[in-house]
């Protein structure tokens, strides 16, 4: 069964931190690169971060590099996004996604979660 369930979103003040989690089914997680994407109101969905299988390589959008950290716990089939120094422009619905490839090279992702809302107030 394909399943990706995000959690951890919420309201935070600028400069604060949040940690998102994405719990996946084994079929969706094992052997797959995982990623986080976001879509702000009125904007297209954009790449945020990705991590290869089993987790040795990470990728970040320029806008979040140095502030966000993606990680995965393969024993728990879970991928995380630690977000620090949040800015109002980080406000968006954050989506977890999985690729059937072991690495992320900018390809379209194969599976998507329903998203979790992150709101950063100024």
């Amino acid at each position: 069964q394909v399943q990706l369930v995000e959690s951890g979103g919420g309201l935070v003040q600028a400069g604060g931190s949040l940690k998102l989690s994405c719990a996946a089914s084994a079929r969706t997680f094992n052997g797959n690169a995982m990623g986080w994407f976001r879509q702000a109101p009125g904007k297209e969905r954009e790449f945020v971060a990705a991590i290869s299988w089993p987790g040795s390589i990470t990728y970040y959008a320029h806008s979040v590099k140095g502030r966000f950290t993606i990680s995965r716990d393969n024993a728990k089939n879970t991928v995380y996004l630690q977000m620090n120094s949040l800015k109002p422009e980080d406000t968006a619905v954050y989506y977890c996604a999985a690729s059937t490839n072991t690495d992320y090279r900018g390809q379209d992702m194969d599976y998507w979660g329903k998203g979790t809302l992150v709101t950063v107030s100024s």
Side-chain angles (χ1 to χ4, degrees):
Q1 182 180 358
V2 174
Q3 187 175 22
L4 293 168
V5 180
E6 303 95 335
S7 62
L11 175 63
V12 64
Q13 287 189 332
S17 298
L18 278 177
K19 186 173 185 177
L20 305 183
S21 300
C22 173
S25 61
R27 172 186 172 184
T28 313
F29 191 85
N30 291 334
N32 294 340
M34 302 293 294
W36 288 95
F37 294 74
R38 67 187 182 186
Q39 186 167 19
K43 295 188 177 181
E44 294 187 351
R45 187 164 57 192
E46 64 176 1
F47 168 76
V48 175
I51 186 166
S52 66
W53 171 268
S56 57
I57 306 172
T58 56
Y59 306 90
Y60 296 95
H62 178 74
S63 59
V64 307
K65 197 167 187 177
R67 301 188 297 122
F68 291 10
T69 302
I70 188 171
S71 61
R72 64 191 298 162
D73 185 334
N74 295 336
K76 296 182 178 180
N77 293 344
T78 301
V79 62
Y80 304 98
L81 185 68
Q82 176 67 49
M83 305 185 294
N84 299 329
S85 303
L86 283 161
K87 305 175 181 180
E89 52 263 44
D90 294 317
T91 295
V93 176
Y94 284 71
Y95 297 91
C96 175
S99 169
T100 53
N101 293 319
T102 57
D103 197 10
Y104 179 72
R105 297 289 184 176
Q107 71 269 22
D108 290 340
M109 305 301 270
D110 296 292
Y111 307 114
W112 293 88
K114 294 183 178 180
T116 185
L117 177 62
V118 172
T119 303
V120 184
S121 62
S122 57

